[in-house]
Amino acid sequence: MTRILKYCLAVAAALMLAPICSAETRDRAGTADKNGSMQSLPDGEVLRWRGYSAWLIDPTRRYRHGVLGDAIEAGGFAVRTPQGRVAVYRLDSSAVFEDRRVRLADLDGDGVPEAVVIKSYLQRGAAVAIYRLKGDRIRPLTEGPAIGRANRWLNIAGIADFDGDGRLDIAYVQTPHLAGIVRVFTLRNGSLHEIGRKAGYTNHRIGSGDLDLARVVPGSATGARLRIAVIGTNAMAVLGFRNGRIVELSRSPN
């Protein structure tokens, strides 16, 4: 028997013995090969933080919303570590990542970033989801509240210390095309806790892929500011914390 024939038979036997993947009913975590071979979201972005990089993968049409301009959302995301390992996280069929990016930020101050992404449930709408990186694995850490009905979305406006306590907070706009409620959450003891909200603002135009209509403005000891559009007008406002509440500090024409 020739060496080539022996090789072919060995490969065939290995394929026959390989396990066949079946549909799962829960989120999946795993490790990709060193090149991170997987299908990226067509309009996705790669974000980086101190040697880490992250991006959305597994394009899917299972959520018919199209708030970002098309019907393609992400079914998972990948993170490359400073050591070159690629960790992968995949959702089950009940949700998608209705986003264009995976934000990396050290929310708990341990020197390793958490992954922050907009997760949309097919039946309950969007929520902020946070994932923890452990070596070359990705694990769910916590989620904010889902909006409560399908085709209701939120857009993350920024991650900064908004209330001046020295910890990073997550600001987002819930239903930016409807009520436009700015909500700010902080990570405490492994859970997201709301520290402020104020209605009447937007950071997205429906059907657009631009997620950056709001800007974080460095502040003083009282915290960072958020420059954001006033919904239904051509004005821009600057929001900040005062006496533990979100207030509008200024407003000007756009």
Side-chain angles (χ1 to χ4, degrees):
M1 187 181 293
T2 67
R3 284 183 296 174
I4 294 177
L5 182 56
K6 289 180 179 179
Y7 173 78
C8 291
L9 290 173
V11 171
L15 291 173
M16 291 176 64
L17 292 173
I20 299 174
C21 296
S22 59
E24 296 184 41
T25 59
R26 59 182 178 83
D27 293 358
R28 303 188 300 253
T31 303
D33 63 57
K34 65 180 181 180
N35 296 315
S37 58
M38 62 200 74
Q39 187 175 2
S40 299
L41 190 70
D43 61 347
E45 303 171 359
V46 178
L47 268 61
R48 296 175 174 84
W49 186 92
R50 298 183 184 179
Y52 292 85
S53 58
W55 63 97
L56 292 162
I57 63 170
D58 294 354
T60 177
R61 294 179 179 270
R62 64 175 174 255
Y63 190 46
R64 298 182 181 276
H65 191 199
V67 72
L68 297 177
D70 59 34
I72 302 173
E73 311 302 344
F77 71 93
V79 177
R80 188 186 301 274
T81 70
Q83 295 75 33
R85 297 284 292 173
V86 177
V88 175
Y89 192 88
R90 289 185 166 95
L91 295 169
D92 66 18
S93 60
S94 69
V96 298
F97 291 122
E98 197 173 11
D99 210 333
R100 294 185 59 209
R101 61 182 66 137
V102 180
R103 299 149 196 83
L104 297 173
D106 185 7
L107 299 176
D108 58 8
D110 66 352
V112 178
E114 280 70 46
V116 182
V117 64
I118 302 166
K119 178 180 179 179
S120 288
Y121 291 92
L122 274 59
Q123 303 300 323
R124 297 190 288 127
V128 171
I130 301 177
Y131 297 85
R132 174 164 283 163
L133 309 180
K134 286 289 188 182
D136 58 0
R137 299 282 170 174
I138 302 172
R139 301 296 186 201
L141 177 58
T142 189
E143 292 184 12
I147 294 174
R149 59 181 294 187
N151 297 340
R152 290 295 182 267
W153 185 65
L154 62 86
N155 187 23
I156 295 173
I159 300 175
D161 177 12
F162 289 106
D163 61 352
D165 68 350
R167 300 172 62 91
L168 292 178
D169 310 305
I170 301 170
Y172 68 79
V173 182
Q174 179 174 304
T175 58
H177 319 114
L178 298 171
I181 305 170
V182 175
R183 304 181 69 178
V184 181
F185 284 76
T186 194
L187 183 67
R188 188 184 308 133
N189 298 323
S191 298
L192 283 174
H193 297 265
E194 188 170 15
I195 58 175
R197 68 166 64 190
K198 189 171 178 62
Y201 305 92
T202 185
N203 61 344
H204 186 257
R205 296 184 182 92
I206 194 164
S208 171
D210 186 357
L211 302 180
D212 297 318
L213 298 187
R215 292 286 189 275
V216 174
V217 181
S220 60
T222 58
R225 313 300 195 208
L226 187 66
R227 188 172 188 269
I228 192 168
V230 180
I231 200 165
T233 75
N234 291 322
M236 298 294 293
V238 175
L239 306 182
F241 272 80
R242 183 174 292 168
N243 298 322
R245 298 173 57 247
I246 300 177
V247 297
E248 187 174 304
L249 301 172
S250 64
R251 181 179 295 202
S252 59
N254 189 4

